[in-house]
PDB file of all heavy atoms in Angstrom:
ATOM      1  N   PRO C   9       3.770   0.261  26.356  1.00 75.00           N
ATOM      2  CA  PRO C   9       4.231  -1.137  26.480  1.00 75.00           C
ATOM      3  C   PRO C   9       3.159  -1.981  27.159  1.00 75.00           C
ATOM      4  O   PRO C   9       2.404  -1.493  28.006  1.00 75.00           O
ATOM      5  CB  PRO C   9       5.482  -1.018  27.348  1.00 75.00           C
ATOM      6  CG  PRO C   9       5.936   0.398  27.199  1.00 75.00           C
ATOM      7  CD  PRO C   9       4.680   1.210  27.019  1.00 75.00           C
ATOM      8  N   GLY C  26      -9.927  -1.118  47.329  1.00 90.00           N
ATOM      9  CA  GLY C  26      -9.799  -0.153  48.432  1.00 90.00           C
ATOM     10  C   GLY C  26     -10.958   0.809  48.553  1.00 90.00           C
ATOM     11  O   GLY C  26     -10.918   1.722  49.394  1.00 90.00           O
ATOM     12  N   VAL C 118      -6.125 -18.761   8.462  1.00 93.00           N
ATOM     13  CA  VAL C 118      -5.156 -19.580   9.217  1.00 93.00           C
ATOM     14  C   VAL C 118      -5.816 -20.832   9.794  1.00 93.00           C
ATOM     15  O   VAL C 118      -5.288 -21.931   9.663  1.00 93.00           O
ATOM     16  CB  VAL C 118      -4.502 -18.741  10.335  1.00 93.00           C
ATOM     17  CG1 VAL C 118      -3.535 -19.616  11.140  1.00 93.00           C
ATOM     18  CG2 VAL C 118      -3.791 -17.524   9.759  1.00 93.00           C
ATOM     19  N   ALA C 176     -11.009  -9.397  -1.495  1.00 90.00           N
ATOM     20  CA  ALA C 176      -9.614  -9.274  -1.952  1.00 90.00           C
ATOM     21  C   ALA C 176      -8.948  -8.066  -1.301  1.00 90.00           C
ATOM     22  O   ALA C 176      -7.777  -8.098  -0.931  1.00 90.00           O
ATOM     23  CB  ALA C 176      -9.578  -9.149  -3.475  1.00 90.00           C
ATOM     24  N   TYR C 201       9.044  -5.398 -10.036  1.00 29.00           N
ATOM     25  CA  TYR C 201       8.913  -6.691  -9.385  1.00 29.00           C
ATOM     26  C   TYR C 201       7.754  -7.428 -10.023  1.00 29.00           C
ATOM     27  O   TYR C 201       6.810  -6.825 -10.515  1.00 29.00           O
ATOM     28  CB  TYR C 201       8.655  -6.539  -7.871  1.00 29.00           C
ATOM     29  CG  TYR C 201       9.828  -6.001  -7.116  1.00 29.00           C
ATOM     30  CD1 TYR C 201      10.096  -4.637  -7.110  1.00 29.00           C
ATOM     31  CD2 TYR C 201      10.686  -6.855  -6.430  1.00 29.00           C
ATOM     32  CE1 TYR C 201      11.191  -4.134  -6.416  1.00 29.00           C
ATOM     33  CE2 TYR C 201      11.778  -6.355  -5.730  1.00 29.00           C
ATOM     34  CZ  TYR C 201      12.025  -4.999  -5.732  1.00 29.00           C
ATOM     35  OH  TYR C 201      13.083  -4.503  -5.043  1.00 29.00           O
ATOM     36  N   ALA C 203       4.329  -9.358 -10.023  1.00 37.00           N
ATOM     37  CA  ALA C 203       3.164  -9.392  -9.153  1.00 37.00           C
ATOM     38  C   ALA C 203       2.816 -10.827  -8.820  1.00 37.00           C
ATOM     39  O   ALA C 203       2.924 -11.720  -9.647  1.00 37.00           O
ATOM     40  CB  ALA C 203       1.964  -8.735  -9.837  1.00 37.00           C
ATOM     41  N   SER C 208      -7.563 -17.394  -5.828  1.00 34.00           N
ATOM     42  CA  SER C 208      -8.587 -17.011  -6.794  1.00 34.00           C
ATOM     43  C   SER C 208      -9.039 -15.575  -6.593  1.00 34.00           C
ATOM     44  O   SER C 208      -9.928 -15.092  -7.275  1.00 34.00           O
ATOM     45  CB  SER C 208      -9.802 -17.931  -6.663  1.00 34.00           C
ATOM     46  OG  SER C 208     -10.334 -17.831  -5.359  1.00 34.00           O
ATOM     47  N   ALA C 256     -15.276   0.824 -15.045  1.00 92.00           N
ATOM     48  CA  ALA C 256     -16.177   1.162 -16.144  1.00 92.00           C
ATOM     49  C   ALA C 256     -15.416   1.329 -17.458  1.00 92.00           C
ATOM     50  O   ALA C 256     -15.852   0.846 -18.518  1.00 92.00           O
ATOM     51  CB  ALA C 256     -16.956   2.436 -15.813  1.00 92.00           C
ATOM     52  N   ASN C 258     -12.536  -0.025 -18.160  1.00 89.00           N
ATOM     53  CA  ASN C 258     -11.992  -1.319 -18.566  1.00 89.00           C
ATOM     54  C   ASN C 258     -13.062  -2.186 -19.223  1.00 89.00           C
ATOM     55  O   ASN C 258     -12.797  -2.940 -20.166  1.00 89.00           O
ATOM     56  CB  ASN C 258     -11.405  -2.035 -17.351  1.00 89.00           C
ATOM     57  CG  ASN C 258     -10.309  -3.013 -17.735  1.00 89.00           C
ATOM     58  OD1 ASN C 258      -9.515  -2.742 -18.633  1.00 89.00           O
ATOM     59  ND2 ASN C 258     -10.258  -4.142 -17.054  1.00 89.00           N
ATOM     60  N   ASN C 283      -5.963   9.021 -16.670  1.00 82.00           N
ATOM     61  CA  ASN C 283      -6.426  10.238 -16.014  1.00 82.00           C
ATOM     62  C   ASN C 283      -7.084   9.929 -14.669  1.00 82.00           C
ATOM     63  O   ASN C 283      -6.874  10.636 -13.676  1.00 82.00           O
ATOM     64  CB  ASN C 283      -7.427  10.971 -16.919  1.00 82.00           C
ATOM     65  CG  ASN C 283      -6.772  11.589 -18.134  1.00 82.00           C
ATOM     66  OD1 ASN C 283      -5.567  11.855 -18.142  1.00 82.00           O
ATOM     67  ND2 ASN C 283      -7.545  11.808 -19.190  1.00 82.00           N
ATOM     68  N   GLY C 289      -5.687   9.192  -4.221  1.00 60.00           N
ATOM     69  CA  GLY C 289      -6.400   8.021  -3.722  1.00 60.00           C
ATOM     70  C   GLY C 289      -6.150   6.760  -4.523  1.00 60.00           C
ATOM     71  O   GLY C 289      -6.612   5.691  -4.167  1.00 60.00           O
ATOM     72  N   THR C 299       1.561   3.897 -15.153  1.00 72.00           N
ATOM     73  CA  THR C 299       2.804   3.830 -15.932  1.00 72.00           C
ATOM     74  C   THR C 299       2.749   2.698 -16.947  1.00 72.00           C
ATOM     75  O   THR C 299       3.157   2.853 -18.102  1.00 72.00           O
ATOM     76  CB  THR C 299       4.012   3.627 -14.992  1.00 72.00           C
ATOM     77  OG1 THR C 299       4.074   4.716 -14.067  1.00 72.00           O
ATOM     78  CG2 THR C 299       5.314   3.546 -15.766  1.00 72.00           C
ATOM     79  N   LEU C 305       0.279   2.279 -24.300  1.00 72.00           N
ATOM     80  CA  LEU C 305      -0.109   3.257 -25.318  1.00 72.00           C
ATOM     81  C   LEU C 305       0.975   3.410 -26.390  1.00 72.00           C
ATOM     82  O   LEU C 305       0.680   3.528 -27.580  1.00 72.00           O
ATOM     83  CB  LEU C 305      -0.363   4.622 -24.659  1.00 72.00           C
ATOM     84  CG  LEU C 305      -1.737   4.872 -24.047  1.00 72.00           C
ATOM     85  CD1 LEU C 305      -1.796   6.286 -23.490  1.00 72.00           C
ATOM     86  CD2 LEU C 305      -2.847   4.676 -25.078  1.00 72.00           C
TER      87      LEU C 305
END
Side-chain angles (χ1 to χ4, degrees):
V118 178
Y201 291 80
S208 60
N258 206 38
N283 289 337
T299 301
L305 276 182

